[in-house]
């Protein structure tokens, strides 16, 4: 099997004197969807923030595209092709929808910007319909679609998405997750989704279970005992 595009070895990270991430090994391959599941406070957000460099790690290594990146700035990691869609909104609230998408593409090549925009509009036709609307007047679901659209415009190889399902109606979650699959299949990107919604089990290739800052399991989704995962990690 090919080398993972992202390889994390025994990282420790946290805030002040407290270590929230307590020695995590993790990997992701090109063109797969990885689910990172775990209860509130498990450390999902902290882990993603550490990957993109928003917080520094205390110990361990992060390899991305065969380079050590744990000492690199956020911008350098971003330029190498890693982007995070945070748990809160990622949009520029006072700009129109289309402008948001264009700004997100600032690091993409000019000749690919049109193509990326067409792809995003194809995935989320509502964004095309509302391209002139000011972003903070969108509905919650539309804002998530815009945030995901902006991640695509950024044209990264690895897209980290922190709990995209939060606050969305079940039908919208299903549609959004189907779109994640389309993104994976049509672009070959690696998507890493922190989630507590069980529907992650329908789209992820592999699942990492995070609890109290440690990885408790890593399995192919098809090999998982769904009932156990739901009870332990998704509060069902
Ligand atoms: N800026 C911070 N300063 C101090 N502690 C923090 C900070 N951010 C998070 N924590 C703590 O780190 C732990 C892990 O939080 P984190 O947000 O990573 O969990 P999570 O798995 O993303 O949870 P959720 O599902 O609720 O989003 C929690 O105990 C939280 O209180
Ligand atoms: Mg979180």
């Amino acid at each position: 099997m090919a080398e993972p595009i992202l390889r994390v070895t025994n990282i420790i990270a946290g805030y002040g004197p407290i270590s929230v991430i307590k020695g995590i090994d993790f990997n992701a391959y090109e063109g797969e969807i990885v689910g990172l599941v775990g209860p509130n406070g498990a450390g999902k957000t902290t882990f993603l923030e550490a990957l993109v460099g928003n917080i520094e790690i205390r110990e361990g290594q992060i390899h991305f595209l065969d380079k050590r990146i744990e000492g690199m700035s956020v911008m350098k990691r971003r330029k190498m092709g890693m982007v995070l869609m945070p748990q809160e909104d990622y949009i520029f609230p006072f700009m129109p929808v289309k402008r948001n998408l264009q700004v997100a593409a600032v690091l993409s090549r000019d000749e690919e910007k049109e193509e990326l925009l067409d792809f995003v509009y194809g995935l989320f036709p509502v964004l095309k319909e509302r391209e002139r609307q000011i972003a903070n007047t969108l509905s919650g679901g539309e804002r998530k679609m815009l945030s995901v659209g902006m991640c695509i415009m950024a044209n990264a190889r690895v897209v980290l998405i922190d709990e995209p399902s939060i606050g969305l109606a079940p039908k919208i979650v299903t549609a959004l997750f189907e779109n994640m699959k389309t993104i994976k299949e049509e672009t070959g990107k690696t998507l890493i989704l922190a989630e507590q919604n069980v529907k992650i089990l329908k789209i992820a290739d592999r699942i990492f279970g995070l609890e109290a800052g440690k990885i408790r399991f890593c399995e192919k989704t098809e090999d998982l005992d769904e009932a156990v995962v739901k009870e332990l990690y998704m509060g069902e």
Side-chain angles (χ1 to χ4, degrees):
M1 201 170 182
E3 278 290 294
I5 188 167
L6 179 68
R7 184 157 47 86
V8 174
T9 319
N10 200 24
I11 63 166
I12 297 181
Y15 308 96
I18 296 169
S19 291
V20 172
I21 300 302
K22 299 171 179 160
I24 284 190
D25 291 328
F26 175 93
N27 57 35
Y29 292 88
E30 185 118 54
E32 72 169 346
I33 297 182
V34 177
L36 180 68
V37 306
N40 293 121
K44 302 181 296 296
T45 297
T46 306
F47 178 64
L48 298 182
E49 299 279 5
L51 292 182
V52 294
N54 288 341
I55 66 168
E56 277 182 32
I57 62 171
R58 301 207 175 108
E59 278 182 42
Q61 298 181 358
I62 308 172
H63 283 87
F64 178 42
L65 293 165
D66 283 333
K67 289 206 172 66
R68 292 270 297 269
I69 63 160
E70 69 271 6
M72 289 182 187
S73 67
V74 176
M75 185 47 87
K76 204 152 182 204
R77 297 183 208 200
R78 171 66 202 81
K79 282 184 177 157
M80 279 182 74
M82 198 190 303
V83 69
L84 168 66
M85 179 182 136
Q87 200 163 335
E88 65 279 8
D89 273 330
Y90 176 66
I91 60 177
F92 300 102
F94 302 112
M95 286 184 190
V97 167
K98 186 173 181 184
R99 188 77 195 122
N100 265 272
L101 292 166
Q102 287 167 333
V103 169
V106 67
L107 291 177
S108 302
R109 290 199 312 272
D110 276 345
E111 59 273 23
E112 60 195 8
K113 285 179 185 168
E114 271 311 299
E115 205 179 307
L116 286 166
L117 191 64
D118 285 346
F119 181 66
V120 171
Y121 281 163
L123 272 181
F124 305 116
V126 69
L127 296 181
K128 168 83 178 148
E129 287 160 25
R130 295 175 180 273
E131 65 179 7
R132 285 170 213 280
Q133 192 169 324
I134 301 297
N136 70 356
T137 63
L138 294 174
S139 75
E142 290 162 356
R143 287 161 84 112
K144 289 284 174 190
M145 291 176 212
L146 178 56
S147 295
V148 174
M150 289 169 72
C151 288
I152 294 170
M153 296 301 291
N155 211 9
R157 303 270 294 266
V158 173
V159 182
L160 314 175
I161 307 185
D162 199 353
E163 301 213 42
S165 71
I166 277 186
L168 300 184
K171 258 169 124 171
I172 307 283
V173 173
T174 304
L176 188 64
F177 279 14
E178 279 309 310
N179 283 328
M180 302 284 181
K181 233 162 108 179
T182 308
I183 293 167
K184 177 191 96 165
E185 281 158 11
E186 295 196 7
T187 67
K189 287 183 197 301
T190 303
L191 303 179
I192 300 173
L193 273 71
E195 260 305 338
Q196 293 186 78
N197 190 303
V198 291
K199 286 178 182 162
I200 187 68
L201 302 177
K202 298 263 181 281
I203 58 161
D205 299 291
R206 289 186 304 142
I207 301 275
F208 283 78
L210 183 63
E211 202 185 345
K214 291 193 169 157
I215 297 293
R216 300 294 168 168
F217 68 84
C218 160
E219 295 265 12
K220 282 190 177 162
T221 313
E222 66 212 33
D223 298 336
L224 275 174
D225 183 338
E226 272 197 32
V228 172
V229 177
K230 282 182 191 170
E231 191 182 323
L232 286 179
Y233 294 93
M234 290 160 167
E236 290 218 343

